[in-house]
Amino acid sequence: MTFSAWRRTGGGIAVALAVALGSASVAPAAPAFAANTQVRDLEYWLNDYGFTQAWNTTRGAGVTVAVIDTGVDASVPELTGAVIGGTDVSGLGSADGQTPVGEGSEHGTLVASLLAGRGTGEGSGVLGVAPEASILAVSVAFGSSDASLSNDEQIAEGIRWAVDNGADVINMSLTRNTLDWPSSWDDAFLYAFENDVVVVAAAGNRGSGTTEVGAPATIPGVLTVAGVDRTKGASFDASSQGITISVAAPSEQLVGVVPGGGYVQWNGTSAAAPIVSGLVALVRAAYPRLDAAEVMNRVIATADPNGREVPSPIYGNGLIDAAAAVTALVPASTSPEPAALLEEWIRVHRRADTELAPTPDTSTQVPVAVQNDPERPLPSVAAAWLPTPLTLTYVSVPLMVLIGFGTLVTLFGIGATRHIKRIRSKR
């Protein structure tokens, strides 16, 4: 698996410079906006998708979200106190996962700020959708030959570490750009599901070459996020489509924090995914007794169709509604648990990968003597010449009839000949 098959599922815009994360970097230079208050004013999704209302119920305290990405710079003001731990699975970052690594190294910090940014003061700085949730920073480095593990193995290792270190939610703003995934992911994702962890994945972006969702967004049991624009219509470049999409969230003109400080406005389902991960954190905080499947059900069941026919491969079950997700009366889910969904997929689709038993080489086999059944009489030479019911029916009886008929014809011919000779002699 080469890095060319991987993409970050977001883009960034710093002032007027557009970049596709994964193929270029956003320079963490000066802030893109004149004042922090302008940054908060640009966070339209907080009101438009019900987050400010949801905060009357919960802000996500007590819930831990693992961000498996390029690392999170916990030193930026918005993330002070938000990052409670981390690790590096690439061998290139710091042990706590807080040193951005790899291509698009600012990506993880952007994601974390949208999810759990705490602002920088009254009415200033980026405020995440779950500003009291905690972050685990799991740094990965895609596209580097110096990484200690392959891209696929970094993901599997990162998931296991996150589960073992208390993650309630895992955010994955990345795509493999293939519908399938390695078998090592089977075990890793099952491990997360069996430990009651909600996994949220970005659908990917057409603008970055992802025309349809790819793994991990195709894995059964994952909460897959598509993107919409400011008007709540499907985003063409900053989203993708597929039958595994669960819900849609804003993916255009989103503001985030870059390592070292400063802000950028960026597009992509990389940004939509942490908004949904933050919503999951709010639901888990408001309903701590719900399991992962029930939490996902609340997010999906309260989604707003917004006048469209759902479910659909564009919007999933509709646009997220944070206020409804934490307050509405939602019927119990009848859907299978995430682990059961993935286990069934593995049972059906991994069977072809199972090795078949080798066919024996008959050329080296030793002939085995036939053993006589003691209750069966030994065969005799005479018995081979005796008629059987089969030969009597299809051979002996027809042959006797034919011989008898031929004999009669012959006798009749002889008699007729003699009779003709007598007549001639009398003349």
Side-chain angles (χ1 to χ4, degrees):
M1 172 78 197
T2 63
F3 177 67
S4 60
W6 285 82
R7 293 182 187 273
R8 300 292 181 282
T9 53
I13 302 176
V15 191
L17 176 64
V19 299
L21 291 176
S23 59
S25 301
V26 179
F33 308 103
N36 285 337
T37 53
Q38 290 181 325
V39 173
R40 184 70 58 83
D41 291 342
L42 291 171
E43 293 186 85
Y44 67 88
W45 55 94
L46 298 180
N47 286 318
D48 291 359
Y49 290 84
F51 285 101
T52 52
Q53 291 175 272
W55 292 341
N56 293 325
T57 302
T58 177
R59 287 181 170 234
V63 177
T64 301
V65 184
V67 175
I68 299 181
D69 215 290
T70 59
V72 177
D73 181 1
S75 70
V76 299
E78 279 86 351
L79 294 174
T80 300
V83 181
I84 62 170
T87 191
D88 172 69
V89 294
S90 69
L92 302 178
S94 57
D96 60 5
Q98 295 176 32
T99 299
V101 296
E103 296 186 27
S105 59
E106 72 288 337
H107 197 259
T109 306
L110 285 165
V111 167
S113 65
L114 270 174
L115 198 164
R118 300 188 174 186
T120 57
E122 186 64 31
S124 63
V126 171
L127 194 61
V129 295
E132 293 181 6
S134 299
I135 297 291
L136 290 175
V138 181
S139 60
V140 295
F142 300 138
S144 173
S145 59
D146 296 327
S148 57
L149 297 173
S150 68
N151 296 332
D152 291 335
E153 293 307 315
Q154 287 182 62
I155 294 297
E157 183 68 21
I159 290 172
R160 288 186 170 277
W161 185 93
V163 174
D164 289 341
N165 286 271
D168 303 298
V169 187
I170 293 176
N171 184 88
M172 305 186 75
S173 291
L174 50 87
T175 180
R176 195 172 185 267
N177 262 7
T178 62
L179 296 175
D180 61 339
W181 57 90
S183 58
S184 63
W185 285 20
D186 294 349
D187 295 335
F189 279 82
L190 266 180
Y191 188 61
F193 296 156
E194 290 168 350
N195 282 277
D196 199 39
V197 178
V198 177
V199 179
V200 179
N205 311 320
R206 295 181 190 87
S208 298
T210 304
T211 56
E212 62 178 340
V213 297
T218 54
I219 297 177
V222 167
L223 188 66
T224 299
V225 183
V228 294
D229 59 23
R230 285 291 298 267
T231 67
K232 298 185 176 181
S235 178
F236 182 80
D237 287 330
S239 188
S240 187
Q241 65 185 55
I243 61 173
T244 61
I245 290 174
S246 305
V247 292
S251 65
E252 294 190 16
Q253 300 176 25
L254 302 173
V255 182
V257 182
V258 294
Y263 309 98
V264 294
Q265 207 170 25
W266 58 314
N267 303 325
T269 52
S270 269
I275 290 175
V276 175
S277 291
L279 174 54
V280 171
L282 296 181
V283 174
R284 301 216 84 159
Y287 300 93
R289 294 186 178 181
L290 295 185
D291 64 22
E294 293 168 324
V295 169
M296 292 169 64
N297 180 56
R298 286 195 73 86
V299 173
I300 291 170
T302 57
D304 179 12
N306 198 33
R308 298 178 175 85
E309 185 176 345
V310 295
S312 81
I314 302 293
Y315 300 97
N317 292 277
L319 310 180
I320 58 169
D321 184 336
V326 299
T327 61
L329 181 64
V330 176
S333 173
T334 58
S335 300
E337 296 287 324
L341 291 170
L342 182 52
E343 285 171 344
E344 176 62 13
W345 187 94
I346 293 170
R347 185 189 69 80
V348 172
H349 294 277
R350 294 298 188 202
R351 288 185 302 180
D353 298 337
T354 304
E355 284 191 29
L356 298 176
T359 304
D361 183 1
T362 55
S363 63
T364 60
Q365 289 183 339
V366 178
V368 179
V370 177
Q371 302 294 322
N372 288 315
D373 186 342
E375 297 182 359
R376 181 182 301 170
L378 293 172
S380 65
V381 176
W385 293 93
L386 293 177
T388 65
L390 187 65
T391 56
L392 283 172
T393 303
Y394 295 101
V395 179
S396 300
V397 173
L399 183 60
M400 291 173 64
V401 171
L402 183 61
I403 292 173
F405 181 76
T407 302
L408 289 175
V409 171
T410 302
L411 292 175
F412 178 78
I414 294 172
T417 303
R418 288 178 178 176
H419 181 68
I420 292 172
K421 288 182 178 180
R422 290 194 196 100
I423 294 175
R424 287 179 178 175
S425 62
K426 289 180 179 180
R427 289 178 182 175

